[in-house]
Amino acid sequence: MKQFLHLMAMAVLLCAALPSCKKFDTTWPNNPLRPPRIKQLIYKTDYSQIDTIKFEYNAKGDPSRILRSHVSTGYPSYRFNYDQHGRLLNYIGYYTDSTFEYARLFFYDTHGKVVNDSIYTWGEYYGNVFIGNTHVPHGRGTYTWDSQNRIATIDRVFSGPFPYTTHEEFTYNTDGNLTVYPTNDGKPNIRLINPIWQLISGDYSKNNGYIATSYNNKQLPLEIPTVDYRTSSLINNLSLSAVQVIYE
């Protein structure tokens, strides 16, 4: 035992003496097991009110609710529901416990990848049963993925009084950022802190598509100015533009 402890002590001393022997970095993003989480977003609404948006999380660390201080048309709160495997089943932009403004449902293949989604606007919900307004379009989307497990395309067919289709492509440059980004800050994209934000926004970029006013010690944005809509999406009707971000 004494010989073992002596060898361990020598190894520690040798490691400390060598410049190539670095301590393990326990901070995010070098340690993905300890990511930060958004606690609050603070910004002004179209009515010049200060809206404080609070984030809540489940035991796994995934978002469970986003609560607005001012709920109104175009400014709902959000609820997230997961299956027994921890996969996002749906998220709901809701007004009450039975009425919603926006709902999006996800459907998975046997490998756990999203292959389809459904979008409802203005309706009622009872648990995971959604009844959309028949006077507004209901969308059904089909997904493809690239070789790096990023959403590549989403094709949607909207039914209703005036049917139409949409096509979205997500292409990335050699820096690993969406090609629609007008710039990048070279710092970790805020959506990297949780795969849910990547899935919902369809944005798997490595960097942010803007230069924030300030950053924290993890190089995440604290104050974001008014930025291009193509870089600010987080969730339907909730963007990261002209906003203050507070982390846990």
PDB file of all heavy atoms in Angstrom, residues 183-196:
ATOM      1  N   THR A 183     -23.450  37.235 -39.579  1.00  0.00           N
ATOM      2  CA  THR A 183     -22.143  37.251 -38.937  1.00  0.00           C
ATOM      3  C   THR A 183     -22.130  36.166 -37.870  1.00  0.00           C
ATOM      4  O   THR A 183     -23.113  35.436 -37.719  1.00  0.00           O
ATOM      5  CB  THR A 183     -21.853  38.626 -38.304  1.00  0.00           C
ATOM      6  OG1 THR A 183     -20.498  38.658 -37.808  1.00  0.00           O
ATOM      7  CG2 THR A 183     -22.805  38.914 -37.154  1.00  0.00           C
ATOM      8  N   ASN A 184     -21.029  36.043 -37.114  1.00  0.00           N
ATOM      9  CA  ASN A 184     -21.028  35.168 -35.939  1.00  0.00           C
ATOM     10  C   ASN A 184     -20.043  35.730 -34.928  1.00  0.00           C
ATOM     11  O   ASN A 184     -19.101  36.452 -35.286  1.00  0.00           O
ATOM     12  CB  ASN A 184     -20.723  33.709 -36.312  1.00  0.00           C
ATOM     13  CG  ASN A 184     -19.259  33.437 -36.530  1.00  0.00           C
ATOM     14  OD1 ASN A 184     -18.490  33.291 -35.580  1.00  0.00           O
ATOM     15  ND2 ASN A 184     -18.857  33.367 -37.799  1.00  0.00           N
ATOM     16  N   ASP A 185     -20.265  35.397 -33.668  1.00  0.00           N
ATOM     17  CA  ASP A 185     -19.447  35.969 -32.592  1.00  0.00           C
ATOM     18  C   ASP A 185     -18.303  35.064 -32.160  1.00  0.00           C
ATOM     19  O   ASP A 185     -17.516  35.442 -31.283  1.00  0.00           O
ATOM     20  CB  ASP A 185     -20.317  36.317 -31.386  1.00  0.00           C
ATOM     21  CG  ASP A 185     -21.023  35.102 -30.791  1.00  0.00           C
ATOM     22  OD1 ASP A 185     -20.881  33.992 -31.355  1.00  0.00           O
ATOM     23  OD2 ASP A 185     -21.725  35.260 -29.780  1.00  0.00           O
ATOM     24  N   GLY A 186     -18.200  33.875 -32.737  1.00  0.00           N
ATOM     25  CA  GLY A 186     -17.121  32.967 -32.372  1.00  0.00           C
ATOM     26  C   GLY A 186     -17.257  32.375 -30.981  1.00  0.00           C
ATOM     27  O   GLY A 186     -16.328  31.754 -30.472  1.00  0.00           O
ATOM     28  N   LYS A 187     -18.425  32.530 -30.375  1.00  0.00           N
ATOM     29  CA  LYS A 187     -18.665  32.030 -29.021  1.00  0.00           C
ATOM     30  C   LYS A 187     -19.766  30.963 -29.063  1.00  0.00           C
ATOM     31  O   LYS A 187     -20.507  30.867 -30.038  1.00  0.00           O
ATOM     32  CB  LYS A 187     -19.053  33.181 -28.097  1.00  0.00           C
ATOM     33  CG  LYS A 187     -18.007  34.291 -28.054  1.00  0.00           C
ATOM     34  CD  LYS A 187     -18.410  35.403 -27.113  1.00  0.00           C
ATOM     35  CE  LYS A 187     -17.473  36.603 -27.225  1.00  0.00           C
ATOM     36  NZ  LYS A 187     -16.076  36.270 -26.933  1.00  0.00           N
ATOM     37  N   PRO A 188     -19.897  30.144 -28.006  1.00  0.00           N
ATOM     38  CA  PRO A 188     -20.885  29.060 -28.037  1.00  0.00           C
ATOM     39  C   PRO A 188     -22.305  29.565 -28.266  1.00  0.00           C
ATOM     40  O   PRO A 188     -22.759  30.510 -27.600  1.00  0.00           O
ATOM     41  CB  PRO A 188     -20.752  28.422 -26.647  1.00  0.00           C
ATOM     42  CG  PRO A 188     -19.385  28.796 -26.176  1.00  0.00           C
ATOM     43  CD  PRO A 188     -19.112  30.145 -26.745  1.00  0.00           C
ATOM     44  N   ASN A 189     -22.990  28.954 -29.198  1.00  0.00           N
ATOM     45  CA  ASN A 189     -24.385  29.298 -29.461  1.00  0.00           C
ATOM     46  C   ASN A 189     -25.230  29.006 -28.225  1.00  0.00           C
ATOM     47  O   ASN A 189     -25.112  27.942 -27.616  1.00  0.00           O
ATOM     48  CB  ASN A 189     -24.894  28.490 -30.660  1.00  0.00           C
ATOM     49  CG  ASN A 189     -26.229  28.985 -31.159  1.00  0.00           C
ATOM     50  OD1 ASN A 189     -27.219  29.012 -30.447  1.00  0.00           O
ATOM     51  ND2 ASN A 189     -26.262  29.379 -32.425  1.00  0.00           N
ATOM     52  N   ILE A 190     -26.102  29.923 -27.866  1.00  0.00           N
ATOM     53  CA  ILE A 190     -26.915  29.771 -26.666  1.00  0.00           C
ATOM     54  C   ILE A 190     -27.803  28.530 -26.736  1.00  0.00           C
ATOM     55  O   ILE A 190     -28.148  27.939 -25.713  1.00  0.00           O
ATOM     56  CB  ILE A 190     -27.757  31.046 -26.429  1.00  0.00           C
ATOM     57  CG1 ILE A 190     -28.404  31.013 -25.043  1.00  0.00           C
ATOM     58  CG2 ILE A 190     -28.781  31.234 -27.538  1.00  0.00           C
ATOM     59  CD1 ILE A 190     -29.080  32.324 -24.668  1.00  0.00           C
ATOM     60  N   ARG A 191     -28.139  28.075 -27.935  1.00  0.00           N
ATOM     61  CA  ARG A 191     -29.001  26.896 -28.078  1.00  0.00           C
ATOM     62  C   ARG A 191     -28.265  25.597 -27.739  1.00  0.00           C
ATOM     63  O   ARG A 191     -28.897  24.568 -27.528  1.00  0.00           O
ATOM     64  CB  ARG A 191     -29.560  26.824 -29.499  1.00  0.00           C
ATOM     65  CG  ARG A 191     -30.433  28.012 -29.877  1.00  0.00           C
ATOM     66  CD  ARG A 191     -30.763  28.023 -31.356  1.00  0.00           C
ATOM     67  NE  ARG A 191     -31.421  29.251 -31.749  1.00  0.00           N
ATOM     68  CZ  ARG A 191     -30.776  30.397 -32.025  1.00  0.00           C
ATOM     69  NH1 ARG A 191     -29.445  30.428 -31.953  1.00  0.00           N
ATOM     70  NH2 ARG A 191     -31.437  31.477 -32.375  1.00  0.00           N
ATOM     71  N   LEU A 192     -26.936  25.661 -27.689  1.00  0.00           N
ATOM     72  CA  LEU A 192     -26.153  24.469 -27.364  1.00  0.00           C
ATOM     73  C   LEU A 192     -26.351  24.008 -25.931  1.00  0.00           C
ATOM     74  O   LEU A 192     -26.007  22.867 -25.596  1.00  0.00           O
ATOM     75  CB  LEU A 192     -24.665  24.743 -27.593  1.00  0.00           C
ATOM     76  CG  LEU A 192     -24.193  24.910 -29.041  1.00  0.00           C
ATOM     77  CD1 LEU A 192     -22.737  25.364 -29.055  1.00  0.00           C
ATOM     78  CD2 LEU A 192     -24.362  23.623 -29.822  1.00  0.00           C
ATOM     79  N   ILE A 193     -26.902  24.865 -25.067  1.00  0.00           N
ATOM     80  CA  ILE A 193     -27.032  24.483 -23.665  1.00  0.00           C
ATOM     81  C   ILE A 193     -28.111  23.425 -23.458  1.00  0.00           C
ATOM     82  O   ILE A 193     -28.137  22.779 -22.415  1.00  0.00           O
ATOM     83  CB  ILE A 193     -27.291  25.699 -22.746  1.00  0.00           C
ATOM     84  CG1 ILE A 193     -28.597  26.406 -23.106  1.00  0.00           C
ATOM     85  CG2 ILE A 193     -26.127  26.675 -22.838  1.00  0.00           C
ATOM     86  CD1 ILE A 193     -28.886  27.615 -22.228  1.00  0.00           C
ATOM     87  N   ASN A 194     -28.989  23.244 -24.454  1.00  0.00           N
ATOM     88  CA  ASN A 194     -29.984  22.172 -24.359  1.00  0.00           C
ATOM     89  C   ASN A 194     -30.463  21.781 -25.748  1.00  0.00           C
ATOM     90  O   ASN A 194     -30.853  22.657 -26.530  1.00  0.00           O
ATOM     91  CB  ASN A 194     -31.175  22.613 -23.503  1.00  0.00           C
ATOM     92  CG  ASN A 194     -32.056  21.443 -23.087  1.00  0.00           C
ATOM     93  OD1 ASN A 194     -32.614  20.747 -23.931  1.00  0.00           O
ATOM     94  ND2 ASN A 194     -32.163  21.210 -21.793  1.00  0.00           N
ATOM     95  N   PRO A 195     -30.458  20.488 -26.089  1.00  0.00           N
ATOM     96  CA  PRO A 195     -30.893  20.043 -27.423  1.00  0.00           C
ATOM     97  C   PRO A 195     -32.334  20.408 -27.746  1.00  0.00           C
ATOM     98  O   PRO A 195     -32.706  20.455 -28.923  1.00  0.00           O
ATOM     99  CB  PRO A 195     -30.724  18.519 -27.367  1.00  0.00           C
ATOM    100  CG  PRO A 195     -29.846  18.238 -26.220  1.00  0.00           C
ATOM    101  CD  PRO A 195     -29.985  19.357 -25.257  1.00  0.00           C
ATOM    102  N   ILE A 196     -33.148  20.652 -26.722  1.00  0.00           N
ATOM    103  CA  ILE A 196     -34.543  21.043 -26.973  1.00  0.00           C
ATOM    104  C   ILE A 196     -34.593  22.351 -27.743  1.00  0.00           C
ATOM    105  O   ILE A 196     -35.394  22.512 -28.669  1.00  0.00           O
ATOM    106  CB  ILE A 196     -35.323  21.164 -25.642  1.00  0.00           C
ATOM    107  CG1 ILE A 196     -35.398  19.807 -24.940  1.00  0.00           C
ATOM    108  CG2 ILE A 196     -36.727  21.727 -25.894  1.00  0.00           C
ATOM    109  CD1 ILE A 196     -36.110  18.727 -25.714  1.00  0.00           C
TER     110      ILE A 196
END
